[in-house]
Amino acid sequence: AQKVTQAQTEISVVEKEDVTLDCVYETRDTTYYLFWYKQPPSGELVFLIRRNSFDEQNEISGRYSWNFQKSTSSFNFTITASQVVDSAVYFCALSGENNRKLIWGLGTSLAVNP
Amino acid sequence: NAGVTQTPKFQVLKTGQSMTLQCAQDMNHEYMSWYRQDPGMGLRLIHYSVGAGITDQGEVPNGYNVSRSTTEDFPLRLLSAAPSQTSVYFCASSYWPSTPDTQYFGPGTRLTVL
């Protein structure tokens, strides 16, 4: 069975701090895909990144970076120099290669305080 | 492109009433899905479709019907609303059929059943 665990339910930081959101997944598929989505207070779901299991290179996009480690089944998300606008719920999700269903973590609520 | 649109944005129903949540996309995506989001439960898949005329059940299909007569539209029908169906409903779409691709979400419908 596939599963995504986001152990951190809520995180609170002060602006400009770095913060890492953890995502641990379980799957027996050799090919799979991992995603991160952001849900700001306005409620919409915003796509952040998609990675496949064969690409273990870390990804950096501005202040955002992702660390994919197959050895520990983790796909962690780091925000550098956090800003108030980063306050949101962040979801990690997993899909197998031939799986028509996306498996979601329960999300981590991040509050960035001024 | 309008992307994924959902109507209505808000709806209040009485127990036993029926209604249809509308979802449309203009990206020519084959894959469309419906999720519900409840506090502490994350996103749960209700139904999905991989093309016109093809639908399948997700994790929590009871009490909901779907049909897919066109590529663009994927309505969700509540047959007899119950208070347990109070939730925020999201529609999503993506490319298909080979690799699980990024799902793009509509703005959501907030449904309250009294």
Side-chain angles (χ1 to χ4, degrees), chain A residues 33 37 39 47 50 96 100, chain B residues 31 37 90 99-100 102-103:
Chain A
Y33 297 81
Y37 282 83
Q39 187 174 41
F47 164 75
R50 168 181 177 263
R100 298 175 171 184
Chain B
Y31 184 94
Q37 184 178 29
F90 287 99
T99 305
T102 301
Q103 292 194 36

Side-chain angles (χ1 to χ4, degrees), chain B residues 7-28:
Chain B
T7 56
K9 288 192 173 143
F10 301 94
Q11 183 70 49
V12 179
L13 292 178
K14 294 181 180 177
T15 296
Q17 286 185 316
S18 62
M19 81 157 294
T20 299
L21 306 185
Q22 300 292 344
C23 174
Q25 51 90 12
D26 61 0
M27 297 176 281
N28 203 30

Side-chain angles (χ1 to χ4, degrees), chain A residues 22-104:
Chain A
D22 297 333
C23 173
V24 174
Y25 61 91
E26 295 176 26
T27 181
R28 292 183 180 176
D29 292 340
T30 53
T31 303
Y32 52 89
Y33 297 81
L34 294 160
F35 302 81
W36 276 94
Y37 282 83
K38 173 182 179 180
Q39 187 174 41
S42 51
E44 72 271 25
L45 282 152
V46 179
F47 164 75
L48 295 177
I49 190 170
R50 168 181 177 263
R51 300 305 295 271
N52 71 56
S53 52
F54 296 108
D55 184 0
E56 288 195 70
Q57 274 194 325
N58 289 337
E59 176 98 6
I60 297 175
S61 177
R63 296 183 297 106
Y64 294 173
S65 63
W66 290 268
N67 185 335
F68 177 30
Q69 291 197 333
K70 287 177 77 169
S71 60
T72 56
S73 296
S74 65
F75 186 43
N76 296 336
F77 173 32
T78 297
I79 302 175
T80 303
S82 59
Q83 300 177 1
V84 172
V85 293
D86 295 326
S87 297
V89 179
Y90 291 87
F91 291 96
C92 181
L94 163 72
S95 182
E97 182 178 25
N98 295 312
N99 196 331
R100 298 175 171 184
K101 302 176 185 178
L102 202 55
I103 308 301
W104 294 79

Side-chain angles (χ1 to χ4, degrees), chain B residues 100-111:
Chain B
D101 211 333
T102 301
Q103 292 194 36
Y104 294 94
F105 285 81
T109 294
R110 187 174 294 274
L111 175 67

